[in-house]
Amino acid sequence: MPLTPAAAEKILADNFAPWVLDLGLTVVSVEGSEGPQGPQAVLRLPWSERLAREGGGLSGQALMAAADTAAVLAVSAARGGFVPVTTVQQSISFQRAVVGADVLVRARLTKTGKRMAFADITVTAEGGEGTAAHATAVYALLG
């Protein structure tokens, strides 16, 4: 059965650390393997002065955490529900600052096996042009 945004919200609430929940992430959409681009999850990270660094841009730490969280939910979408995973590798390139705007984080699985999943993550400012950050990540599937 495909994972719904409401079910993904419940996975987020039930399985992530309190400080991740404090980011205020919400699920915009999820698609399982049946989607045209494969398993993916899109989250919204709302703008907050609390998450800004000096100079007013959204902090890299917040963007990395949002990227990681979106990728875990993409794995859940691929499996039709939550499965425990652990991050093996994550790399991000920051391309432009995000100031005063919500962020959309799109995690798409490029390969999913029995024990590993690989994700490509794009971060964009809502209403902005171009990519704010691009990440890749690898996960060990524990369940």
Side-chain angles (χ1 to χ4, degrees):
M1 173 174 241
L3 191 69
T4 65
E9 288 276 2
K10 182 156 177 41
I11 289 169
L12 181 61
D14 292 350
N15 296 284
F16 287 80
W19 71 266
V20 174
L21 300 178
D22 288 346
L23 294 172
L25 294 164
T26 57
V27 177
V28 174
S29 66
V30 289
E31 288 186 34
S33 300
E34 74 285 347
Q37 296 182 4
Q40 65 178 334
V42 180
L43 304 184
R44 177 185 312 281
L45 173 62
W47 169 258
S48 169
E49 291 285 337
R50 291 189 63 227
L51 300 178
R53 59 174 172 71
E54 77 289 343
L58 199 58
S59 72
Q61 294 91 337
L63 294 174
M64 286 285 279
D68 187 62
T69 304
V72 172
L73 290 176
V75 171
S76 297
R79 295 296 172 103
F82 179 74
V83 292
V85 301
T86 190
T87 308
V88 174
Q89 180 275 334
Q90 185 181 29
S91 176
I92 194 164
S93 297
F94 301 103
Q95 299 174 9
R96 67 183 73 216
V98 176
V99 179
D102 288 0
V103 171
L104 296 176
V105 182
R106 179 181 307 277
R108 183 180 59 84
L109 298 187
T110 57
K111 180 174 174 34
T112 307
K114 289 183 180 183
R115 295 198 171 113
M116 302 290 285
F118 299 81
D120 186 79
I121 305 128
T122 304
V123 177
T124 57
E126 188 169 44
E129 294 183 21
T131 300
H134 176 257
T136 59
V138 179
Y139 297 87
L141 307 178
L142 305 176

